[in-house]
Amino acid sequence: MNMEDLKVRGEIGHNGEDGRSPARTPPDQVKALIQKAMEAKQRAYCPYSKFRVGAALLVHDGTVFTGCNVENACYGLCLCAERNAMSTAVSEGYRSFMAIAIAGDTDDEFISACGSCRQFMSEFGLNWEVYSSKTDGSYVKSDVSELLPGAFELKLKKNNIGSHIQES
């Protein structure tokens, strides 16, 4: 599948027409991001579920990080595509994300991030875009805040660490 074959339908809010926030990522860039997620999906390691997932994460300087799901016989050790892409970006020094596209082998419904990935996304902000796609390249757009209302947060205190320690 090449870029010309992708059909952007954006049935839910890609232009904000349903009351959701308008897309900040240009449609051509969204299509390219979905294409990168589809390519990443091809590299998935999923011998148990046979359910391939790819993700492509766009950061503010235009860099794209990809990830795929990686399964393990000990299911708790499996790594989702979204967390794989975000962790790679963090390891390269990025902490602010613009958009993520998710691609799977779903023809009839848009693939959705799992609850763990939604919480992981929220660690890096609630107001960035998530594009969930189908195999034909159509997609829906949400912000992280829409996917995880009431996200769990820890408020970090901004005081001097160690200021309570007295010298002897």
Side-chain angles (χ1 to χ4, degrees):
M1 179 178 291
N2 61 38
M3 291 300 295
E4 290 73 38
D5 294 331
L6 293 175
K7 293 185 170 82
V8 178
R9 295 189 191 124
E11 296 168 359
I12 300 178
H14 85 283
N15 287 322
E17 65 275 0
D18 66 350
R20 296 178 186 222
S21 61
R24 295 174 295 274
T25 306
D28 288 348
Q29 203 169 19
V30 172
K31 288 192 284 186
L33 204 59
I34 291 169
Q35 181 63 40
K36 289 277 188 192
M38 289 179 172
E39 291 168 6
K41 172 185 75 171
Q42 301 301 321
R43 297 185 292 275
Y45 177 76
C46 50
Y48 307 104
S49 72
K50 309 286 192 256
F51 188 76
R52 302 177 307 167
V53 181
L57 177 71
L58 176 65
V59 298
H60 291 281
D61 69 2
T63 303
V64 175
F65 294 92
T66 61
C68 61
N69 57 318
V70 179
E71 293 182 348
N72 189 284
C74 179
Y75 290 137
L77 298 178
C78 295
L79 182 61
C80 295
E82 300 92 325
R83 286 183 281 149
N84 193 338
M86 288 183 284
S87 294
T88 301
V90 169
S91 74
E92 295 297 321
Y94 293 89
R95 303 283 189 281
S96 179
F97 307 143
M98 191 170 161
I100 190 167
I102 309 164
D105 289 328
T106 53
D107 294 325
D108 299 333
E109 58 188 53
F110 297 100
I111 192 164
S112 180
C114 74
S116 295
C117 286
R118 292 173 189 210
Q119 180 62 46
F120 200 89
M121 288 174 190
S122 76
E123 182 71 18
F124 300 97
L126 296 173
N127 296 315
W128 54 286
E129 301 167 342
V130 180
Y131 292 93
S132 301
S133 69
K134 291 183 186 179
T135 55
D136 66 0
S138 61
Y139 64 85
V140 293
K141 178 237 172 237
S142 301
D143 278 353
V144 175
S145 62
E146 294 171 303
L147 295 177
L148 191 64
F152 177 78
E153 294 181 89
L154 289 178
K155 302 291 184 192
L156 299 177
K157 293 181 181 177
K158 297 191 182 200
N159 60 4
N160 293 332
I161 296 176
S163 61
H164 66 282
I165 299 173
Q166 296 179 349
E167 293 185 30
S168 48

